[in-house]
Amino acid sequence: MRQNSHGIIRALRRVEKNSTQETNEKKGGSGNFISFLALIISIVALYFQFFYYHYDLNASFISGGYENDSLRLHIIYHNKGNQDGTILKAEVWYFSDSNVERPKNHLGFRSKLNDPVILPPGSQEFHIISEPTDFKIFDFEKNNTNPFDTLRIQLQFRYLNDYNLLSEKEEIVGWVTLDSNKQVDYYSLSFKNIILETDTYISETYRSK
């Protein structure tokens, strides 16, 4: 009976030893997995911090209207990327409904000057584009435009894309009609967010007679 009890005790000790060994192996495996996961997360964070290049530049047209013989457009530039964003200039052009697809027949006031806007990553800036509305200075006939036609209002942005090449974005933001004295009669504006994409760029420029 004594020998049997000693045998049982030895068997229980072997079971306990095996159980402890399996538990330690499981703990070691879990620790290795956690360490590996932490390493992967560190590598991904390092990549996004130093190597990932994200370009995301927006121009939000939020309000505006014709006031005191001027068209005033309120724009918020927002750089959502992780690199500097540069807007070189913003301009307003007018196209007759019949000429909206013919860029040589546009009307624009040439007296405006724009300073470049440089936006650090994540920053925003508020800007006002102010345009005179003296449409009498335009030679509508020379531009093949009927002054009593509906004129589309177009915003044009020039900026640097993610390859630091000059890009251009055009967006119709409203329309205006003139009375018999070529003054603003009716108008409508569409407020929108304009994404300044990077898939196109200006490779050349020219002046035509």
Side-chain angles (χ1 to χ4, degrees), residues 140-208:
F140 285 88
E141 185 176 345
K142 182 180 179 181
N143 286 274
N144 299 317
T145 301
N146 182 352
F148 306 114
D149 191 5
T150 298
L151 301 177
R152 298 295 171 182
I153 304 168
Q154 183 186 79
L155 266 175
Q156 182 189 82
F157 298 96
R158 287 201 171 187
Y159 55 96
L160 297 182
N161 65 15
D162 53 348
Y163 295 103
N164 282 325
L165 296 173
L166 179 63
S167 293
E168 189 174 87
K169 175 72 173 185
E170 298 172 344
E171 188 83 17
I172 299 294
V173 296
W175 56 263
V176 61
T177 58
L178 307 179
D179 61 19
S180 57
N181 295 317
K182 295 183 181 177
Q183 295 181 338
V184 174
D185 193 11
Y186 298 102
Y187 72 88
S188 176
L189 297 173
S190 300
F191 309 131
K192 58 182 68 177
N193 181 57
I194 302 167
I195 300 174
L196 305 182
E197 296 101 341
T198 66
D199 55 350
T200 60
Y201 61 92
I202 299 172
S203 59
E204 63 180 343
T205 186
Y206 64 92
R207 180 180 180 182
S208 60

Side-chain angles (χ1 to χ4, degrees), residues 16 33 38 47 59 75 93-94 107 109-110 139 144 151 159 174 194:
E16 181 181 1
F33 175 75
Y47 170 76
I75 308 290
W93 300 98
Y94 294 92
L107 305 169
F109 297 95
R110 299 286 185 172
D139 188 340
N144 299 317
L151 301 177
Y159 55 96
I194 302 167

Side-chain angles (χ1 to χ4, degrees), residues 11-27:
L12 290 174
R13 285 178 177 173
R14 282 197 298 269
V15 171
E16 181 181 1
K17 182 178 179 181
N18 292 336
S19 177
T20 302
Q21 185 176 357
E22 289 177 1
T23 301
N24 290 335
E25 288 177 355
K26 289 181 180 179
K27 287 182 178 179

